């Protein structure tokens, strides 16, 4: 089955001029993505995390502490996972930051285990990066050595230290 790429204008973008959703395939395939609409230099803030709703751990939530999750309530929910991420979901600073220079049209991605200790909905990763973890299940399932290759938020660093001391 061919994957089609369309932009559906019926939903109002939450961050016009910053990034946009590209819908691909069916909603059940979870293959839509978020694309940069402008250049972002490495280290820049792409979006502040605002308008968040506390909630349970779900496939669409982001873990913001050892015990709390939030819903993004924005187009950021379409940011896909990559083991070679272009951004960092910095829940300590409540901002999405560029990990590398990002050009207009580039995919915006982040390393899900950088915020998630145990994924609500694990999945196989096909990103193809040399450091690919193959199965995305959360930071609790990855070695400290593997995690050391990625930028992590503080609650994940703390949970890793607790695990390693046990």
């Amino acid at each position: 089955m061919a994957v089609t790429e369309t932009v559906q204008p019926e939903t109002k973008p939450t961050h016009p001029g910053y990034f946009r959703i590209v819908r691909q395939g069916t909603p059940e395939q979870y293959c839509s993505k978020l694309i940069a609409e402008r250049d972002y230099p490495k280290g820049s803030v792409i979006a502040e995390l605002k308008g968040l709703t506390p909630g349970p751990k779900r496939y669409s939530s982001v873990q913001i502490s050892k015990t709390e999750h939030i819903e993004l309530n924005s187009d950021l929910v379409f940011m896909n996972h990559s083991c070679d991420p272009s951004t960092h979901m910095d829940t300590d600073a409540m901002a999405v930051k560029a990990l590398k220079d990002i050009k207009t049209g580039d995919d915006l991605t982040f390393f899900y285990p950088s915020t998630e200790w145990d994924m609500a909905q694990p999945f196989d990763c096909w990103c193809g990066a040399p450091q690919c973890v193959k199965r995305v299940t959360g930071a609790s399932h990855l070695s400290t050595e593997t995690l050391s290759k990625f930028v992590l938020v503080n609650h994940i660093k703390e949970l890793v230290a607790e695990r390693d001391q046990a």
Side-chain angles (χ1 to χ4, degrees):
M1 177 172 130
V3 174
T4 59
E5 183 174 307
T6 60
V7 176
Q8 298 178 349
E10 71 271 3
T11 57
K12 186 178 178 182
T14 61
H15 296 79
Y18 292 87
F19 44 81
R20 66 180 170 88
I21 302 167
V22 174
R23 299 186 191 274
Q24 304 177 124
T26 66
E28 297 79 24
Q29 292 174 312
Y30 298 105
C31 57
S32 293
K33 59 185 178 178
L34 205 60
I35 302 291
E37 287 203 302
R38 64 181 194 86
D39 294 350
Y40 294 96
K42 180 180 180 177
S44 65
V45 172
I46 294 169
E48 293 181 359
L49 299 178
K50 296 180 176 180
L52 312 172
T53 305
K57 177 171 71 172
R58 300 184 43 195
Y59 76 94
S60 59
S61 68
V62 174
Q63 189 171 347
I64 61 167
S65 75
K66 292 180 184 180
T67 59
E68 299 171 297
H69 289 77
I70 52 92
E71 291 292 335
L72 295 168
N73 300 322
S74 74
D75 292 344
L76 290 170
V77 76
F78 288 93
M79 194 173 351
N80 289 325
H81 164 83
S82 176
C83 298
D84 184 18
S86 59
T87 74
H88 172 53
M89 180 74 69
D90 188 347
T91 60
D92 300 317
M94 298 308 277
V96 177
K97 298 177 180 177
L99 289 176
K100 54 180 87 173
D101 289 336
I102 298 170
K103 300 294 181 197
T104 301
D106 287 352
D107 288 6
L108 298 178
T109 61
F110 80 102
F111 182 65
Y112 286 6
S114 70
T115 62
E116 306 303 313
W117 186 241
D118 193 41
M119 298 288 295
Q121 191 171 319
F123 60 92
D124 292 329
C125 182
W126 304 313
C127 73
Q131 68 273 21
C132 183
V133 299
K134 307 296 184 217
R135 179 111 177 116
V136 181
T137 55
S140 68
H141 303 276
L142 296 172
S143 70
T144 303
E145 180 182 349
T146 296
L147 289 169
S148 71
K149 300 172 187 172
F150 301 96
V151 177
L152 307 173
V153 295
N154 286 333
H155 68 268
I156 296 297
K157 291 176 188 175
E158 291 167 7
L159 288 164
V160 169
E162 290 170 13
R163 176 193 68 191
D164 291 352
Q165 288 176 355

